[in-house]
Amino acid sequence: MSWNPFKKAKPATKQTGDWEFEREVARFNQLEGATKKIYKDTKKYGEALSALSKAELRIYQDLATSPVALDDLFREPLQEYAVCAERLDELRQELASRNQKTVTEPMKK
């Protein structure tokens, strides 16, 4: 075996750097997938809130047009229900708009 002082030594390969990079890429892909899922779920949540408001409005309209609404006993609770339903609808709209501003719009960027 001969020793050659002019032969360059091979540098050590940076396997740890490659492994760390691959790990970070995997974490990034996982985070991106989770972000897309949150975005989709947030949109579905907004749609569900809208559908709930529409369903409550339909229930009120059905009750208001029914013969039960003509009875004095049920007129006052029906009006209270209408006021509560309107207030809940306002709060749902506010929740949906804040949800849009804080979650959905930043994720689009």
Side-chain angles (χ1 to χ4, degrees):
M1 206 181 215
S2 67
W3 178 73
N4 186 354
F6 300 108
K7 187 176 182 181
K8 291 186 179 180
K10 293 182 180 178
T13 58
K14 295 184 180 182
Q15 294 296 327
T16 57
D18 291 341
W19 181 78
E20 289 176 9
F21 178 75
E22 292 296 325
R23 188 184 70 190
E24 293 300 319
V25 167
R27 283 183 60 208
F28 174 76
N29 289 335
Q30 182 182 12
L31 180 63
E32 188 175 27
T35 304
K36 288 179 182 180
K37 185 178 183 324
I38 289 172
Y39 178 77
K40 288 178 183 178
D41 290 346
T42 304
K43 285 182 70 174
K44 287 179 184 178
Y45 177 70
E47 292 169 0
L49 282 178
S50 176
L52 180 62
S53 294
K54 289 177 184 178
E56 282 185 348
L57 179 63
R58 255 186 260 126
I59 289 171
Y60 170 72
Q61 289 174 347
D62 289 345
L63 286 174
T65 58
S66 71
V68 174
L70 300 175
D71 190 10
D72 290 335
L73 180 65
F74 294 111
R75 189 175 299 144
E76 186 177 329
L78 188 59
Q79 290 174 350
E80 290 177 9
Y81 176 77
V83 170
C84 288
E86 287 176 16
R87 178 71 178 136
L88 280 172
D89 187 43
E90 290 172 7
L91 292 173
R92 279 191 201 106
Q93 288 176 358
E94 183 180 338
L95 178 63
S97 69
R98 287 185 183 186
N99 195 11
Q100 180 80 14
K101 288 178 187 176
T102 58
V103 178
T104 308
E105 288 177 3
M107 286 186 177
K108 286 181 182 178
K109 297 176 183 177

